[in-house]
PDB file of all heavy atoms in Angstrom:
ATOM      1  N   ILE A 293      40.618  53.161 -82.879  1.00 97.00           N
ATOM      2  CA  ILE A 293      39.914  53.571 -84.103  1.00 97.00           C
ATOM      3  C   ILE A 293      39.193  54.911 -83.982  1.00 97.00           C
ATOM      4  O   ILE A 293      38.714  55.461 -84.924  1.00 97.00           O
ATOM      5  CB  ILE A 293      38.864  52.521 -84.577  1.00 97.00           C
ATOM      6  CG1 ILE A 293      37.761  52.280 -83.483  1.00 97.00           C
ATOM      7  CG2 ILE A 293      39.566  51.187 -84.934  1.00 97.00           C
ATOM      8  CD1 ILE A 293      36.554  51.562 -84.034  1.00 97.00           C
ATOM      9  N   LYS A 294      39.198  55.465 -82.771  1.00 97.00           N
ATOM     10  CA  LYS A 294      38.520  56.726 -82.567  1.00 97.00           C
ATOM     11  C   LYS A 294      39.202  57.815 -83.336  1.00 97.00           C
ATOM     12  O   LYS A 294      40.432  57.960 -83.256  1.00 97.00           O
ATOM     13  CB  LYS A 294      38.578  57.077 -81.056  1.00 97.00           C
ATOM     14  CG  LYS A 294      37.396  57.856 -80.577  1.00 97.00           C
ATOM     15  CD  LYS A 294      37.493  58.060 -79.072  1.00 97.00           C
ATOM     16  CE  LYS A 294      36.195  58.489 -78.479  1.00 97.00           C
ATOM     17  NZ  LYS A 294      36.291  58.555 -77.026  1.00 97.00           N
ATOM     18  N   GLY A 295      38.441  58.563 -84.161  1.00 97.00           N
ATOM     19  CA  GLY A 295      38.998  59.666 -84.962  1.00 97.00           C
ATOM     20  C   GLY A 295      39.591  59.225 -86.288  1.00 97.00           C
ATOM     21  O   GLY A 295      40.054  60.061 -87.064  1.00 97.00           O
ATOM     22  N   LYS A 296      39.606  57.919 -86.500  1.00 97.00           N
ATOM     23  CA  LYS A 296      40.210  57.354 -87.734  1.00 97.00           C
ATOM     24  C   LYS A 296      39.168  57.335 -88.863  1.00 97.00           C
ATOM     25  O   LYS A 296      37.949  57.270 -88.596  1.00 97.00           O
ATOM     26  CB  LYS A 296      40.735  55.954 -87.497  1.00 97.00           C
ATOM     27  CG  LYS A 296      41.867  55.859 -86.472  1.00 97.00           C
ATOM     28  CD  LYS A 296      43.176  56.220 -87.122  1.00 97.00           C
ATOM     29  CE  LYS A 296      44.244  56.565 -86.140  1.00 97.00           C
ATOM     30  NZ  LYS A 296      44.604  55.479 -85.217  1.00 97.00           N
ATOM     31  N   THR A 297      39.639  57.362 -90.135  1.00 97.00           N
ATOM     32  CA  THR A 297      38.730  57.166 -91.269  1.00 97.00           C
ATOM     33  C   THR A 297      38.297  55.714 -91.249  1.00 97.00           C
ATOM     34  O   THR A 297      38.965  54.855 -90.628  1.00 97.00           O
ATOM     35  CB  THR A 297      39.409  57.473 -92.603  1.00 97.00           C
ATOM     36  OG1 THR A 297      40.444  56.489 -92.789  1.00 97.00           O
ATOM     37  CG2 THR A 297      39.980  58.865 -92.624  1.00 97.00           C
ATOM     38  N   LEU A 298      37.192  55.425 -91.974  1.00 97.00           N
ATOM     39  CA  LEU A 298      36.723  54.024 -91.983  1.00 97.00           C
ATOM     40  C   LEU A 298      37.766  53.100 -92.605  1.00 97.00           C
ATOM     41  O   LEU A 298      37.948  51.990 -92.162  1.00 97.00           O
ATOM     42  CB  LEU A 298      35.411  53.953 -92.775  1.00 97.00           C
ATOM     43  CG  LEU A 298      34.225  54.641 -92.131  1.00 97.00           C
ATOM     44  CD1 LEU A 298      32.996  54.558 -92.997  1.00 97.00           C
ATOM     45  CD2 LEU A 298      33.898  54.005 -90.736  1.00 97.00           C
ATOM     46  N   GLU A 299      38.485  53.604 -93.603  1.00 96.00           N
ATOM     47  CA  GLU A 299      39.552  52.795 -94.261  1.00 96.00           C
ATOM     48  C   GLU A 299      40.654  52.484 -93.241  1.00 96.00           C
ATOM     49  O   GLU A 299      41.127  51.352 -93.193  1.00 96.00           O
ATOM     50  CB  GLU A 299      40.148  53.520 -95.474  1.00 96.00           C
ATOM     51  CG  GLU A 299      39.258  53.559 -96.689  1.00 96.00           C
ATOM     52  CD  GLU A 299      38.141  54.606 -96.596  1.00 96.00           C
ATOM     53  OE1 GLU A 299      38.134  55.396 -95.656  1.00 96.00           O
ATOM     54  OE2 GLU A 299      37.230  54.572 -97.476  1.00 96.00           O
ATOM     55  N   GLU A 300      41.053  53.505 -92.465  1.00 97.00           N
ATOM     56  CA  GLU A 300      42.113  53.275 -91.505  1.00 97.00           C
ATOM     57  C   GLU A 300      41.638  52.302 -90.418  1.00 97.00           C
ATOM     58  O   GLU A 300      42.384  51.398 -90.015  1.00 97.00           O
ATOM     59  CB  GLU A 300      42.503  54.622 -90.814  1.00 97.00           C
ATOM     60  CG  GLU A 300      43.323  55.541 -91.715  1.00 97.00           C
ATOM     61  CD  GLU A 300      43.368  56.977 -91.187  1.00 97.00           C
ATOM     62  OE1 GLU A 300      42.533  57.340 -90.324  1.00 97.00           O
ATOM     63  OE2 GLU A 300      44.265  57.721 -91.664  1.00 97.00           O
ATOM     64  N   ALA A 301      40.409  52.494 -89.957  1.00 97.00           N
ATOM     65  CA  ALA A 301      39.863  51.624 -88.915  1.00 97.00           C
ATOM     66  C   ALA A 301      39.771  50.158 -89.381  1.00 97.00           C
ATOM     67  O   ALA A 301      40.066  49.236 -88.624  1.00 97.00           O
ATOM     68  CB  ALA A 301      38.498  52.105 -88.464  1.00 97.00           C
ATOM     69  N   TRP A 302      39.416  50.019 -90.670  1.00 96.00           N
ATOM     70  CA  TRP A 302      39.303  48.643 -91.239  1.00 96.00           C
ATOM     71  C   TRP A 302      40.642  47.928 -91.195  1.00 96.00           C
ATOM     72  O   TRP A 302      40.747  46.721 -91.056  1.00 96.00           O
ATOM     73  CB  TRP A 302      38.777  48.752 -92.680  1.00 96.00           C
ATOM     74  CG  TRP A 302      38.513  47.403 -93.233  1.00 96.00           C
ATOM     75  CD1 TRP A 302      39.382  46.595 -93.905  1.00 96.00           C
ATOM     76  CD2 TRP A 302      37.276  46.655 -93.175  1.00 96.00           C
ATOM     77  NE1 TRP A 302      38.756  45.397 -94.267  1.00 96.00           N
ATOM     78  CE2 TRP A 302      37.474  45.395 -93.799  1.00 96.00           C
ATOM     79  CE3 TRP A 302      36.010  46.927 -92.620  1.00 96.00           C
ATOM     80  CZ2 TRP A 302      36.475  44.435 -93.914  1.00 96.00           C
ATOM     81  CZ3 TRP A 302      35.012  46.000 -92.722  1.00 96.00           C
ATOM     82  CH2 TRP A 302      35.271  44.720 -93.354  1.00 96.00           C
ATOM     83  N   GLU A 303      41.706  48.683 -91.334  1.00 96.00           N
ATOM     84  CA  GLU A 303      43.059  48.075 -91.392  1.00 96.00           C
ATOM     85  C   GLU A 303      43.578  47.641 -90.021  1.00 96.00           C
ATOM     86  O   GLU A 303      44.618  46.986 -89.933  1.00 96.00           O
ATOM     87  CB  GLU A 303      44.074  49.100 -91.993  1.00 96.00           C
ATOM     88  CG  GLU A 303      43.865  49.387 -93.459  1.00 96.00           C
ATOM     89  CD  GLU A 303      43.839  48.144 -94.362  1.00 96.00           C
ATOM     90  OE1 GLU A 303      44.705  47.278 -94.117  1.00 96.00           O
ATOM     91  OE2 GLU A 303      42.911  48.025 -95.199  1.00 96.00           O
ATOM     92  N   LEU A 304      42.897  47.992 -88.943  1.00 95.00           N
ATOM     93  CA  LEU A 304      43.349  47.572 -87.618  1.00 95.00           C
ATOM     94  C   LEU A 304      43.250  46.061 -87.481  1.00 95.00           C
ATOM     95  O   LEU A 304      42.170  45.495 -87.624  1.00 95.00           O
ATOM     96  CB  LEU A 304      42.496  48.266 -86.522  1.00 95.00           C
ATOM     97  CG  LEU A 304      42.881  47.876 -85.091  1.00 95.00           C
ATOM     98  CD1 LEU A 304      44.197  48.482 -84.665  1.00 95.00           C
ATOM     99  CD2 LEU A 304      41.782  48.300 -84.095  1.00 95.00           C
ATOM    100  N   THR A 305      44.362  45.416 -87.219  1.00 95.00           N
ATOM    101  CA  THR A 305      44.343  43.963 -87.106  1.00 95.00           C
ATOM    102  C   THR A 305      44.330  43.525 -85.626  1.00 95.00           C
ATOM    103  O   THR A 305      44.624  44.318 -84.726  1.00 95.00           O
ATOM    104  CB  THR A 305      45.615  43.310 -87.692  1.00 95.00           C
ATOM    105  OG1 THR A 305      46.768  43.766 -86.944  1.00 95.00           O
ATOM    106  CG2 THR A 305      45.797  43.681 -89.157  1.00 95.00           C
ATOM    107  N   ASN A 306      43.962  42.281 -85.411  1.00 94.00           N
ATOM    108  CA  ASN A 306      43.905  41.769 -84.029  1.00 94.00           C
ATOM    109  C   ASN A 306      45.313  41.794 -83.398  1.00 94.00           C
ATOM    110  O   ASN A 306      45.462  42.078 -82.214  1.00 94.00           O
ATOM    111  CB  ASN A 306      43.307  40.383 -83.993  1.00 94.00           C
ATOM    112  CG  ASN A 306      44.281  39.295 -84.417  1.00 94.00           C
ATOM    113  OD1 ASN A 306      44.695  39.299 -85.586  1.00 94.00           O
ATOM    114  ND2 ASN A 306      44.635  38.403 -83.500  1.00 94.00           N
ATOM    115  N   VAL A 307      46.315  41.530 -84.221  1.00 95.00           N
ATOM    116  CA  VAL A 307      47.693  41.574 -83.711  1.00 95.00           C
ATOM    117  C   VAL A 307      48.066  42.947 -83.231  1.00 95.00           C
ATOM    118  O   VAL A 307      48.738  43.065 -82.184  1.00 95.00           O
ATOM    119  CB  VAL A 307      48.668  41.061 -84.843  1.00 95.00           C
ATOM    120  CG1 VAL A 307      50.105  41.183 -84.371  1.00 95.00           C
ATOM    121  CG2 VAL A 307      48.368  39.607 -85.202  1.00 95.00           C
ATOM    122  N   ALA A 308      47.597  43.967 -83.978  1.00 96.00           N
ATOM    123  CA  ALA A 308      47.908  45.332 -83.543  1.00 96.00           C
ATOM    124  C   ALA A 308      47.246  45.663 -82.185  1.00 96.00           C
ATOM    125  O   ALA A 308      47.830  46.332 -81.323  1.00 96.00           O
ATOM    126  CB  ALA A 308      47.441  46.316 -84.610  1.00 96.00           C
ATOM    127  N   VAL A 309      46.014  45.138 -82.019  1.00 96.00           N
ATOM    128  CA  VAL A 309      45.322  45.336 -80.760  1.00 96.00           C
ATOM    129  C   VAL A 309      46.097  44.692 -79.637  1.00 96.00           C
ATOM    130  O   VAL A 309      46.361  45.251 -78.569  1.00 96.00           O
ATOM    131  CB  VAL A 309      43.868  44.802 -80.817  1.00 96.00           C
ATOM    132  CG1 VAL A 309      43.176  44.880 -79.455  1.00 96.00           C
ATOM    133  CG2 VAL A 309      43.052  45.538 -81.842  1.00 96.00           C
ATOM    134  N   ALA A 310      46.495  43.433 -79.864  1.00 96.00           N
ATOM    135  CA  ALA A 310      47.246  42.686 -78.849  1.00 96.00           C
ATOM    136  C   ALA A 310      48.577  43.332 -78.520  1.00 96.00           C
ATOM    137  O   ALA A 310      48.976  43.443 -77.370  1.00 96.00           O
ATOM    138  CB  ALA A 310      47.461  41.238 -79.320  1.00 96.00           C
ATOM    139  N   GLU A 311      49.255  43.847 -79.570  1.00 96.00           N
ATOM    140  CA  GLU A 311      50.544  44.536 -79.352  1.00 96.00           C
ATOM    141  C   GLU A 311      50.363  45.799 -78.549  1.00 96.00           C
ATOM    142  O   GLU A 311      51.191  46.114 -77.680  1.00 96.00           O
ATOM    143  CB  GLU A 311      51.235  44.810 -80.697  1.00 96.00           C
ATOM    144  CG  GLU A 311      52.006  43.609 -81.194  1.00 96.00           C
ATOM    145  CD  GLU A 311      52.533  43.776 -82.595  1.00 96.00           C
ATOM    146  OE1 GLU A 311      52.392  44.899 -83.177  1.00 96.00           O
ATOM    147  OE2 GLU A 311      53.121  42.801 -83.148  1.00 96.00           O
ATOM    148  N   ALA A 312      49.291  46.515 -78.860  1.00 96.00           N
ATOM    149  CA  ALA A 312      49.030  47.752 -78.107  1.00 96.00           C
ATOM    150  C   ALA A 312      48.768  47.480 -76.638  1.00 96.00           C
ATOM    151  O   ALA A 312      48.999  48.352 -75.788  1.00 96.00           O
ATOM    152  CB  ALA A 312      47.833  48.478 -78.723  1.00 96.00           C
ATOM    153  N   LEU A 313      48.341  46.276 -76.345  1.00 97.00           N
ATOM    154  CA  LEU A 313      48.125  45.866 -74.942  1.00 97.00           C
ATOM    155  C   LEU A 313      49.355  45.206 -74.321  1.00 97.00           C
ATOM    156  O   LEU A 313      49.275  44.619 -73.245  1.00 97.00           O
ATOM    157  CB  LEU A 313      46.928  44.870 -74.877  1.00 97.00           C
ATOM    158  CG  LEU A 313      45.543  45.466 -75.129  1.00 97.00           C
ATOM    159  CD1 LEU A 313      44.545  44.316 -75.322  1.00 97.00           C
ATOM    160  CD2 LEU A 313      45.102  46.332 -73.963  1.00 97.00           C
ATOM    161  N   ASP A 314      50.471  45.322 -75.029  1.00 97.00           N
ATOM    162  CA  ASP A 314      51.736  44.664 -74.600  1.00 97.00           C
ATOM    163  C   ASP A 314      51.575  43.135 -74.523  1.00 97.00           C
ATOM    164  O   ASP A 314      52.132  42.462 -73.658  1.00 97.00           O
ATOM    165  CB  ASP A 314      52.202  45.195 -73.228  1.00 97.00           C
ATOM    166  CG  ASP A 314      52.680  46.613 -73.299  1.00 97.00           C
ATOM    167  OD1 ASP A 314      53.019  47.075 -74.427  1.00 97.00           O
ATOM    168  OD2 ASP A 314      52.712  47.316 -72.229  1.00 97.00           O
ATOM    169  N   GLY A 315      50.765  42.623 -75.441  1.00 96.00           N
ATOM    170  CA  GLY A 315      50.627  41.172 -75.583  1.00 96.00           C
ATOM    171  C   GLY A 315      49.478  40.590 -74.781  1.00 96.00           C
ATOM    172  O   GLY A 315      49.061  41.159 -73.772  1.00 96.00           O
TER     173      GLY A 315
END
Side-chain angles (χ1 to χ4, degrees):
Chain A
I293 62 165
K294 211 176 197 175
K296 296 279 163 62
T297 65
L298 292 177
E299 287 76 8
E300 285 165 344
W302 186 272
E303 292 305 316
L304 179 70
T305 63
N306 79 296
V307 174
V309 174
E311 277 173 3
L313 288 166
D314 291 340

